[in-house]
Amino acid sequence: MKNIYINILCVLVLGAAFTSCDDYLDDAPKGSKVPTTLADYEAFIRDEYTNQTINSEEALNLLNDKYMTTANLSLYRLSKANYMWDETADRIQLNQADETTYYRSYAGISTFNLIIENALTTTEATEEQKRVVWAEAKILRAMTFYHLANFYADTYVASTAATKLSVPLITSAVINAPSKQVSIQEMYDFILADIKDALPYLPKVSQTALHPNLGAGYAFYSRVYLQMNNYTEALKYADLALAENNKLYDWVAYYNTNKAIIDVPDSYTTTVSPMGYKYVENYTYRHGASSGLGTENSIPVERAQRFEAGDARFLSRWKIYTVGAETYYRRTLSGNFNFGGITTVEVYLIKAECLARAGQISDALDILNTVRKTRILPVTYQDIATTDKTTALNAIFKTKNNELIATLIPFTDARRLNAEGAYPVSFSKVADGVTYNLSSTSHLWTMPFPQGATKNPGNGTITQNVAK
């Protein structure tokens, strides 16, 4: 998939941001090529291991959606603070490394800024072709800002969004371009504007899995509106997205096809991940944490217990494993994983939540059970049936958390629900005889900026959004 044929040496800003080609054209290093054609700029979108990778590592640690070994808990102090829900830890002090989530995301944003600034004036392309690449970069930039805003800042709450700070907004690839740490409202307004700008030009069919299409634009719109608690708009765009692609992958069939390998006792031979570039549920593909590059995370026993009995997707991905004094569910898939993009199952479950919120419980459960039938083995499957709104929503939340494990979405959903207050998310576990708790009101739900960013903010300022 990776197909980079341009070699550009650029100065990094804010940890990892490309300079503008305006400053570069007069002095191109030997052996490098200055981008001039649309194809030159479009190639940056294909740089999946740089521009298409967004990291959710510490969010997964907080949720305990990945297993941390005893050795790693000793080695990675910030990860341990999140994993063990240590509210006394000074995570700002512990976050001294060049955190991938921050720096790689802003590197991608700078590249998308470069495309947005230059695509419409490139050569060897029609106006329509230029607009497509420009629109794709707009969606990818918005998706990356969304990721950052829902990692390093509080979740969106309409009553406080105008007064609370989000993350630095950078809209230029020029070296030392000014940045401003905008409010949460300003950031969401910017994201929504990028999507609105892009939608008229997004193609119905992607050039590759890395290129956002019209379905991806609608799906992302739906995701953003859901995070803003605007269920009417979230439902509207969920329907539009599903009109573009409503396919669900048959995990029951996958399990049955690979059953002879999966069910061998004490065997951890891997099967091939179907969640790669050709996954039928993809709207757009992006790598998530580093675990998405060839393998995925193992998960704790407590996390495994939250899956439904007979969940073929779970059975196909993890198997209980003991080494020494440690027991966890070891990963059993290898290949590629769409942990940073958008898939149809997320949109189905957004639609189900919006319908339930509107009191259309039966319709919401029809959507939920449509998803579950492709996941739960027939021997254990039963329709979820209820007339109670809370019961229905909790069933939707449970399925969504399991479906989107290893992505940022369970983390963003939990923050959204905690802010709402009606369906709070909290966790409890026992380790070495000690009980640990993560409350719905904990400050741990917002991640601290890395010290490198606050001490060297480029042409701007950055204020921490948490006390520790």
Side-chain angles (χ1 to χ4, degrees), residues 100-175:
T100 302
T101 304
Y102 188 87
Y103 291 107
R104 183 162 290 184
S105 295
Y106 274 108
I109 285 168
S110 186
T111 303
F112 301 136
N113 285 338
L114 189 70
I115 297 170
I116 292 164
E117 290 171 343
N118 293 281
L120 300 182
T121 59
T122 55
T123 62
E124 300 180 24
T126 66
E127 289 304 311
E128 180 181 1
Q129 291 168 333
K130 294 175 186 180
R131 280 290 178 184
V132 167
V133 173
W134 175 85
E136 291 167 342
K138 281 241 172 186
I139 291 294
L140 291 169
R141 180 174 70 177
M143 288 179 66
T144 307
F145 271 126
Y146 176 90
H147 189 97
L148 288 164
N150 282 281
F151 193 87
Y152 293 113
D154 288 349
T155 193
Y156 183 93
V157 176
S159 61
T160 60
T163 56
K164 286 190 174 184
L165 288 175
S166 183
V167 300
L169 179 62
I170 304 175
T171 60
S172 173
V174 174
I175 187 170

Side-chain angles (χ1 to χ4, degrees), residues 56 58-63 65 82 91 146-153 155 227 401 404-418 425 427 438 443-447:
S56 307
E58 291 305 329
L60 305 190
N61 288 332
L62 187 76
L63 293 176
D65 275 359
N82 286 319
R91 296 181 303 158
Y146 176 90
H147 189 97
L148 288 164
N150 282 281
F151 193 87
Y152 293 113
T155 193
Q227 200 66 28
N401 287 336
L404 299 175
I405 187 173
T407 76
L408 187 71
I409 302 306
F411 178 73
T412 61
D413 276 352
R415 286 155 42 95
R416 171 171 62 89
L417 296 173
N418 288 341
V425 177
F427 296 106
L438 176 65
H443 70 272
L444 297 175
W445 288 104
T446 298
M447 299 297 167

Side-chain angles (χ1 to χ4, degrees), residues 371-447:
V371 171
R372 292 177 61 249
K373 286 172 185 175
T374 65
R375 270 57 176 173
I376 310 302
L377 298 177
V379 68
T380 59
Y381 178 84
Q382 288 185 334
D383 276 345
I384 293 175
T386 183
T387 58
D388 180 68
K389 179 178 179 179
T390 297
T391 302
L393 281 169
N394 282 330
I396 293 165
F397 299 148
K398 177 179 179 178
T399 297
K400 192 177 181 188
N401 287 336
N402 289 336
E403 284 296 322
L404 299 175
I405 187 173
T407 76
L408 187 71
I409 302 306
F411 178 73
T412 61
D413 276 352
R415 286 155 42 95
R416 171 171 62 89
L417 296 173
N418 288 341
E420 178 188 4
Y423 310 98
V425 177
S426 60
F427 296 106
S428 181
K429 66 180 177 183
V430 177
D432 297 326
V434 178
T435 299
Y436 296 87
N437 297 291
L438 176 65
S439 74
S440 61
T441 59
S442 174
H443 70 272
L444 297 175
W445 288 104
T446 298
M447 299 297 167

Side-chain angles (χ1 to χ4, degrees), residues 6 18 28 47-48 57 60 68 110 186 222 315 340 368 422 447 468:
I6 302 174
F18 286 99
D47 187 358
E48 64 184 291
E57 202 82 29
L60 305 190
M68 288 200 69
S110 186
E186 288 174 303
S222 182
L315 295 170
L368 175 62
M447 299 297 167
K468 59 183 177 180

Side-chain angles (χ1 to χ4, degrees), residues 171-202:
T171 60
S172 173
V174 174
I175 187 170
N176 207 32
S179 67
K180 179 185 178 183
Q181 187 178 5
V182 297
S183 71
I184 294 172
Q185 186 66 57
E186 288 174 303
M187 178 56 71
Y188 271 79
D189 287 345
F190 181 84
I191 290 168
L192 291 172
D194 258 3
I195 304 170
K196 183 179 179 180
D197 288 346
L199 276 181
Y201 307 103
L202 291 172

